[in-house]
Amino acid sequence: MVTGPFDALMRDALSLAAQAATQGDIPVGALVLDESGQIIGRGQNTREQEGDPLGHAEIVALRDASRHLGKWRLDECTLVVTLEPCTMCAGAIVQSRIAHVVFGTFDAKAGAVGSLWDVVRDRRLPHRPQVTSGVLADECAQILSEFFQAQRN
C-alpha cells in the first residue's frame, strides 16, 4: 500500500464515498486539486440519486473543478479518487488534461488505469497523466466490500 502525501486527501475522498453510500450509490469519492494543492472540485457517485448514467464521482468532481476554474482544461490539476477509474472516466481524465491521477483500490472488473485497460497511458492518445495507485487501498476496498455485502443481505 502506498502511504504518504495523499493519505489525508484520500480520507477526504473516502468521506465523500461514505456519503454516496448513504444515498444508495456505490461508495466512490473524488477530489480535484489545483496546482497549489487546494481542493477545487468534489464528487461522489450520484447515478442512483440523480438517475444519471454519467454520475460517476470522477465526472462530478471534474465538472465541479471546471466550473471553479472557468475552463475545461485541468492540466495543472490532480484527481484523487477512491476507486480506479472506468473507461468513461479515464477518457474524461485524458480529455480534461488532468496532470496526475491518484487512486485507492484497483477495479478488476472495470478498471481502465491499469487493471483491464490502461487508457490514461495509451501512447496513441495526446495526453498521458502521471498515475499513483494503491493509496489507502485497503480502506478504499473495504468501504466497497461493506456496501455490496449490505446489498446482498
Side-chain angles (χ1 to χ4, degrees), residues 10-80:
M10 190 61 75
R11 289 191 202 298
D12 289 347
L14 279 164
S15 177
L16 291 168
Q19 289 175 21
T22 65
Q23 296 166 349
D25 273 288
I26 295 172
V28 178
L31 302 170
V32 177
L33 314 170
D34 68 12
E35 60 189 294
S36 71
Q38 295 298 310
I39 297 171
I40 59 167
R42 289 179 171 79
Q44 64 191 50
N45 274 1
T46 60
R47 288 189 320 169
E48 298 298 330
Q49 179 187 355
E50 296 182 5
D52 180 2
L54 304 180
H56 288 210
E58 300 94 316
I59 301 294
V60 175
L62 291 171
R63 285 178 172 159
D64 192 30
S66 291
R67 278 191 297 273
H68 178 85
L69 293 177
K71 62 181 186 173
W72 65 267
R73 285 184 178 270
L74 303 175
D75 50 359
E76 299 296 324
C77 297
T78 297
L79 173 71
V80 177

Side-chain angles (χ1 to χ4, degrees), residues 64-152:
D64 192 30
S66 291
R67 278 191 297 273
H68 178 85
L69 293 177
K71 62 181 186 173
W72 65 267
R73 285 184 178 270
L74 303 175
D75 50 359
E76 299 296 324
C77 297
T78 297
L79 173 71
V80 177
V81 61
T82 57
L83 179 65
E84 177 186 4
C86 69
T87 53
M88 175 181 71
C89 294
I93 289 163
V94 170
Q95 291 300 316
S96 66
R97 310 301 196 264
I98 285 286
H100 190 183
V101 177
V102 177
F103 70 89
T105 192
F106 282 92
D107 183 352
K109 293 182 181 179
V113 185
S115 288
L116 291 179
W117 301 281
D118 200 350
V119 172
V120 300
R121 289 179 278 212
D122 189 320
R123 294 206 175 273
R124 295 169 292 183
L125 297 175
H127 176 74
R128 288 177 299 283
Q130 177 183 353
V131 175
T132 302
S133 60
V135 177
L136 300 182
D138 293 341
E139 291 91 332
C140 293
Q142 182 178 354
I143 193 171
L144 288 161
S145 295
E146 290 171 357
F147 176 81
F148 288 116
Q149 184 63 38
Q151 297 295 309
R152 288 189 282 274

